[in-house]
Amino acid sequence: MPLDEVTHSMAADQMLPGACESGSALIVDRVVLIQRDARYDHASEETRLAVEVHLRDGSTVRTELVLEPAQLYAVGIQVERALSARERARSVVPR
């Protein structure tokens, strides 16, 4: 699915100030990792990554990406695959 077709939703208590007043929905452009160590909470078994959410209106919001154990493993596998693909591409294409 192309990114432009992705729909976004949030609970009323997650809305940014002024979001409803403008009459337009807030659309996420991208989410960027903030360079900080991930935090693991043993009690909840959640891993938290600091992120910055960039909205299409140019504003940004700092928050956390919260991953449960299965999600963390899935992300780990995806990152490993991306790193392997990057290394393969770099070894084939002269710099």
Side-chain angles (χ1 to χ4, degrees):
M1 169 184 325
L3 290 178
D4 289 343
E5 294 180 23
V6 175
T7 60
H8 304 275
S9 64
M10 60 176 63
D13 64 345
Q14 296 173 312
M15 298 290 282
L16 297 176
C20 296
E21 296 154 12
S22 69
S24 62
L26 297 175
I27 304 295
V28 173
D29 181 48
R30 65 188 178 280
V31 178
V32 179
L33 283 172
I34 297 173
Q35 295 204 1
R36 288 192 197 145
D37 288 339
R39 293 182 306 136
Y40 178 72
D41 180 346
H42 180 69
S44 66
E45 295 188 341
E46 294 175 337
T47 300
R48 295 173 177 269
L49 301 169
V51 296
E52 189 170 69
V53 180
H54 294 255
L55 304 173
R56 286 197 181 162
D57 68 1
S59 61
T60 59
V61 178
R62 287 188 170 210
T63 189
E64 292 182 321
L65 173 62
V66 180
L67 301 170
E68 295 174 356
Q71 295 167 321
L72 180 62
Y73 282 110
V75 168
I77 291 167
Q78 293 169 356
V79 168
E80 281 294 323
R81 287 179 182 163
L83 288 171
S84 293
R86 179 177 187 266
E87 289 302 316
R88 282 192 307 275
R90 290 182 69 171
S91 66
V92 172
V93 178
R95 295 187 91 196

